Amino acid sequence: MEKWERELNHLVNASLPEQVDRRIHLTLDQLKRTRKKSFGLRFGTTAAAAVLVLSFGLTALSPAFAEAMKSIPVIGSVFELVGDVGTKRGSQLNLTTNVGRQIQIDDYAMTITESLYDGSSISLGLIAPADAKDPMGFVKDVTFSVDGKRLPSFSGGASTKILDDGTYAGTLSLHVDDPLPDVFTLGILSRDEAAIYAKIPVERKGENQLFAIAQTGTWNDVEVEYEDMALYPTSTKLSFRLRGTDSPFWEFKVQDDQGRVLQPIGGHGGGTSDDKHYVYDFEPLETVPESLTITPYLVGSDSTTRIDGEWKGTPITLSQGKAGSVTVVDQKFEDDNLTLTYEVEGERLFEQANEIWLEDEKGKPFDKGTPIRIQGRDHRYQLTFSNVRKTDSVFLSTPRFNAPVYLEELAVVVDLEG
């Protein structure tokens, strides 16, 4: 066993593979009514094949597909409805490009509503009919091109959410490390490139800033080289290299000079066994602070807290172990939806805010949405659970986290004033 791995087990008593999977696969967990898929890095280029271009207009669609798409409501921006904090902000800043194109990929029917690209990730909004069994299942059978040239490597993720009428709304994101044009056509292709299912217009909108870090630190024979911090309208990106281990085994706390901790969004990366490159995404900055402090930390959880969730008009507090606590301060019932307003105190704020759930008396969890941080209240959130009746007996549950172990020797401060 490597020295750092023994130290990790000693410090947090947590399963290393679980923590690696949680961080690399773009979590904060997206909850019961949200289906998520991720498709990993692919390297190498396939020889060009004869391409059959398939155009899908309303008249070209099968009758069954056209009928299914009629039931899809006009819902505005999918990014604002089901996107993460970054894509929501991109939509609010009018950085999206309208698409409104109906396509069919084998048995998968959908409408691509909009695209978003600010120089960071490429995002697509889509909606699918209520009878779709697996609305994001097509991602395993397709690849992508830019202006007709297949992308040699990329990573990505997809998520969907069921709306009240059964319709699916979702997002598809692509992370491409190679430079892209400011305006291009994104192609969705079959794996063998024999068919082009869609051509999606993408336009870069918004400015970005890049701040070099160029600092290296070592912890238990593991070396991390911080490269830079990039500020985009939809994300704050930390780029770093890792040597001496096969996978990242820590998370990062990114905090501005006023004490505000940035919400993690996800991450991707890869490389050789001796030198791997990673990019971790955090929430975008609405205003640029003087500095950001980056501190890696080790994590773990050990048990679960479960208490009677009956609301009696007074706050309900759940212990989350050494990491802190969550306190429900209000609730609201509307059409069998229960919305909780709660505050989080502790060291792992975003995990603590996300990882609470509501169960019935038999332990079956209710479906829930995505926690929304209340503007102007960094530690206060709202979370909605669906299909809850006022007569139901409900119980609140949350993990009990170990306190994070900060690797202060690897902390760096990024000056953003220059």
Side-chain angles (χ1 to χ4, degrees), residues 341-368:
T341 301
Y342 58 97
E343 294 181 347
V344 177
E345 292 186 5
E347 294 291 330
R348 297 170 60 180
L349 295 175
F350 298 105
E351 290 169 286
Q352 292 174 244
N354 190 70
E355 295 190 21
I356 67 171
W357 60 92
L358 197 67
E359 300 175 349
D360 64 17
E361 57 188 357
K362 296 181 179 179
K364 181 180 178 181
F366 292 95
D367 293 332
K368 66 176 183 177

Side-chain angles (χ1 to χ4, degrees), residues 240-390:
F240 65 97
R241 309 195 80 87
L242 203 60
R243 305 179 183 96
T245 180
D246 289 335
S247 302
F249 53 90
W250 54 53
E251 304 201 27
F252 289 98
K253 178 181 180 180
V254 179
Q255 184 174 1
D256 68 18
D257 53 276
Q258 300 300 312
R260 178 184 172 91
V261 179
L262 300 191
Q263 175 181 340
I265 298 176
H268 66 283
T272 67
S273 58
D274 297 326
D275 187 5
K276 287 185 169 60
H277 179 258
Y278 293 92
V279 178
Y280 279 8
D281 289 85
F282 300 83
E283 67 177 291
L285 296 169
E286 295 186 9
T287 58
V288 179
E290 293 182 2
S291 65
L292 291 172
T293 300
I294 303 165
T295 309
Y297 64 93
L298 307 174
V299 298
S301 60
D302 54 16
S303 62
T304 299
T305 298
R306 183 175 188 263
I307 66 172
D308 186 343
E310 181 183 357
W311 180 251
K312 298 178 181 179
T314 57
I316 301 174
T317 299
L318 291 84
S319 170
Q320 294 181 311
K322 297 178 181 179
S325 63
V326 56
T327 300
V328 178
V329 297
D330 198 6
Q331 74 165 29
K332 179 181 178 181
F333 261 110
E334 186 175 1
D335 298 330
D336 289 340
N337 291 326
L338 173 60
T339 299
L340 301 181
T341 301
Y342 58 97
E343 294 181 347
V344 177
E345 292 186 5
E347 294 291 330
R348 297 170 60 180
L349 295 175
F350 298 105
E351 290 169 286
Q352 292 174 244
N354 190 70
E355 295 190 21
I356 67 171
W357 60 92
L358 197 67
E359 300 175 349
D360 64 17
E361 57 188 357
K362 296 181 179 179
K364 181 180 178 181
F366 292 95
D367 293 332
K368 66 176 183 177
T370 301
I372 299 173
R373 184 163 56 185
I374 297 175
Q375 189 172 4
R377 303 291 294 270
D378 287 350
H379 301 167
R380 179 171 286 200
Y381 297 80
Q382 286 187 330
L383 177 59
T384 299
F385 298 85
S386 56
N387 300 316
V388 182
R389 297 170 301 179
K390 289 186 177 181

Side-chain angles (χ1 to χ4, degrees), residues 5-175:
E5 191 172 355
R6 291 196 300 270
E7 183 72 8
L8 175 66
N9 287 331
H10 172 70
L11 288 173
V12 300
N13 190 29
S15 170
L16 176 62
E18 178 185 355
Q19 303 309 323
V20 172
D21 182 72
R22 284 160 60 89
R23 188 65 182 86
I24 296 302
H25 287 83
L26 314 183
T27 55
L28 298 173
D29 176 38
Q30 286 299 302
L31 317 167
K32 281 287 183 178
R33 285 182 71 84
T34 302
R35 302 181 179 181
K36 294 193 72 178
K37 292 182 177 293
S38 61
F39 35 102
L41 295 171
R42 293 191 284 274
F43 296 93
T45 302
T46 303
V51 176
L52 172 64
V53 178
L54 304 179
S55 299
F56 291 101
L58 291 175
T59 57
L61 301 176
S62 70
F65 175 65
E67 187 62 31
M69 299 310 289
K70 286 181 182 178
S71 65
I72 293 180
V74 178
I75 57 176
S77 171
V78 168
F79 295 138
E80 292 194 44
L81 185 67
V82 299
D84 61 29
V85 63
T87 51
K88 285 181 179 179
R89 185 165 188 264
S91 178
Q92 292 163 0
L93 293 175
N94 297 316
L95 303 183
T96 60
T97 299
N98 291 328
V99 177
R101 188 162 301 171
Q102 295 178 350
I103 66 171
Q104 185 164 7
I105 301 175
D106 296 327
D107 295 330
Y108 299 96
M110 71 200 77
T111 292
I112 297 179
T113 61
E114 60 216 300
S115 65
L116 172 60
Y117 177 57
D118 64 352
S120 178
S121 304
I122 305 168
S123 297
L124 302 178
L126 60 88
I127 49 179
D131 60 358
K133 295 181 179 179
D134 185 7
M136 284 294 186
F138 71 92
V139 297
K140 66 182 182 296
D141 298 320
V142 301
T143 189
F144 301 88
S145 67
V146 169
D147 289 339
K149 184 178 180 180
R150 177 172 176 157
L151 289 174
S153 66
F154 61 89
S155 63
S159 66
T160 55
K161 180 178 180 179
I162 306 174
L163 304 182
D164 290 342
D165 66 348
T167 299
Y168 292 91
T171 61
L172 173 68
S173 61
L174 296 176
H175 310 284

